[in-house]
Amino acid sequence: MTKNRPTRSLLAGAALAITLAAGIGAAPAMAETMRYATIGEPPSLDSQMGTANVATIVSQHMFEPLYALDSKSLPQPLLAESDSVSDDEKTITIKLREGVPFHNGDTMNAEDVVASLTRWAEYGARGGTLNLDKAEATGEYEVTLTLNEPNGAWKQMLSYVNGGGVIYPAEIVTAAGGEPIKPENYVGTGPYKFGEWRPNRYVEVVKFDDYASREEPSDGWAGKREAIFDKIQFVPVPDVGTRVSGVQAGDYDYAEYISGDLYGLLKDDASIKPYISAGPIFGLMFMNSSDGILKDNYALRRAILEALNMTEALQVSVGDPELFDAQGSFFTEGSVWHSDAGTEHYNQGNAEKAAEMAKAAGYNGEPISLLVSTNYQQHFDQANVFKRQLADAGINLELNVVDWATLLKQRADPAAWDMFMTHHSTLPEPALLTFMNENYPGWWTSPEKKALAAELIGTSDMEKRTAAWAKLQALAYEQVPAVKVGDVYSFDIAAPGLETPWEKAPTFAYFWGASK
């Protein structure tokens, strides 16, 4: 199993950057280049160490995990070939695909996977979620993972590219330790390899001609990947107006994060093609389960929920109805985790009934504080709508308006608030929802939650896991650790000639399979 390649990978990465910078071995003069306008300069592209979306958009073209999520958020093998789990769910044996080349010419094997996952578990942004005890090479193309505790979400954790356990050559990842990998060592297995990084101008990735694709049809991030463009340049363009005019003028093929208030103006513009995001963000109003008037008073929390009209709050805070969906499931339709359990309590807007419920809960008009920031205008707009709706039900809501940095500080103090506003991105796994974390502000814990959380995480059987999540969602509507406001969709724009393998923009837009 031992590889004889002492420093070749490090040198090869450096040589690649130097060669490309000098123009030697560059793509042909007629190379097809796609230009993507991003909201800004990315931080490090070391996928294991950061969770910045602007970095993941780029890095996912170069680095790959063992599994990839399909269109239903189900993990499918990518660099893995197959796997088995012990009866106690603590030992996972993964057989790897053979003949997968890295960008430096070496072939991926078990040593690379062990080194990568060991580093990710110790230093990675999301590595602690796996609860890994050790990773061992038990064959040239076989890895055995031992977990400290059963983790039914292990395959989802090994599928998520944002802060995820992507695979690097062993010598590179071992040398990096807890420090971000430097650009000259950006060596992965993806359909594109690192080209060059010109600060404030662009990050460029180039087609990897030796890419070893899977043969299954493309489905979400899973299945076949084909690099059609010779190069992709990711160009930082912080001003949204410049991103829009750049696509209209043909300077960029794609631009991300266009303001929602521009949607009505742009959706019928023939010079661009809008892409509404497939993965929404959703607002959450957390309840304090540790201190104050809402602690353990589930009946009062349900009264607050009963009073809220989410459709009105979304109309005021978002505007165009194509960009929001007042639905109560914590996962969108089409996700394997989507469930209607408990959602009959969502979006009722019944002030009279809420007043009766509040009285029955022992509420006598005491002030209830809501911590909210003006940095996120949608949060602030929704909080003001909720204040009026709750007043109609006789519930005395007081807004504590601060900047986002102050909110982050104050929400850590259980004595400082009763509720606070935030939002969540689309996730592939319920265990990653923040209200499931007992250490996250809100601090939701109860015997019922503990029992159902154990059901969710204690098995990798998806039928049992989805059933457990449905019960947990129903419990979330009964104990109300947080109120979901509704799904909000951002939108991107593209040049009319760009063809993408998806109809709605993925959470992290990818461009293997794209052409123009």
Side-chain angles (χ1 to χ4, degrees), residues 69-75 156 219 221 278-280 282 327 329-340 425-431 433 462 465-467 469-470 473 484 487 489 507:
L69 297 171
D70 67 15
S71 56
K72 295 182 178 179
S73 296
L74 286 171
Q156 279 82 0
D219 181 14
W221 279 269
F282 53 89
Q327 69 91 18
S329 172
F330 287 92
F331 291 87
T332 55
E333 199 164 349
S335 166
V336 68
W337 300 107
H338 177 80
S339 169
D340 291 328
S425 300
T426 297
L427 294 168
E429 160 63 42
L433 287 165
M462 283 303 293
R465 298 197 73 226
T466 53
W469 167 245
Q473 182 173 287
K484 179 183 177 182
D487 293 335
Y489 295 86
T507 305

Side-chain angles (χ1 to χ4, degrees), residues 382-461:
Q382 290 162 6
N384 277 287
V385 172
F386 292 156
K387 177 179 173 65
R388 177 175 50 76
Q389 292 174 348
L390 290 169
D392 291 343
I395 297 174
N396 180 16
L397 185 69
E398 293 185 347
L399 301 188
N400 180 9
V401 183
V402 296
D403 61 78
W404 185 245
T406 302
L407 186 149
L408 293 178
K409 183 178 180 180
Q410 289 191 6
R411 75 180 186 185
D413 179 3
W417 56 277
D418 296 311
M419 302 192 291
F420 78 88
M421 299 287 296
T422 185
H423 66 264
H424 231 305
S425 300
T426 297
L427 294 168
E429 160 63 42
L432 294 173
L433 287 165
T434 46
F435 66 73
M436 292 293 296
N437 183 349
E438 295 182 0
N439 296 317
Y440 188 85
W443 307 283
W444 180 37
T445 181
S446 69
E448 297 84 1
K449 181 208 174 183
K450 284 182 177 293
L452 291 175
E455 279 189 36
L456 175 70
I457 207 71
T459 178
S460 53
D461 184 314

Side-chain angles (χ1 to χ4, degrees), residues 294 299-308 351 354-359 363-368 386-398 419:
L294 296 175
L300 180 54
R301 299 182 192 190
R302 289 193 293 270
I304 292 171
L305 175 62
E306 181 70 23
L308 302 181
E356 295 172 358
M357 293 171 66
K359 183 178 180 181
Y363 179 68
N364 293 305
E366 300 92 333
I368 297 175
F386 292 156
K387 177 179 173 65
R388 177 175 50 76
Q389 292 174 348
L390 290 169
D392 291 343
I395 297 174
N396 180 16
L397 185 69
E398 293 185 347
M419 302 192 291

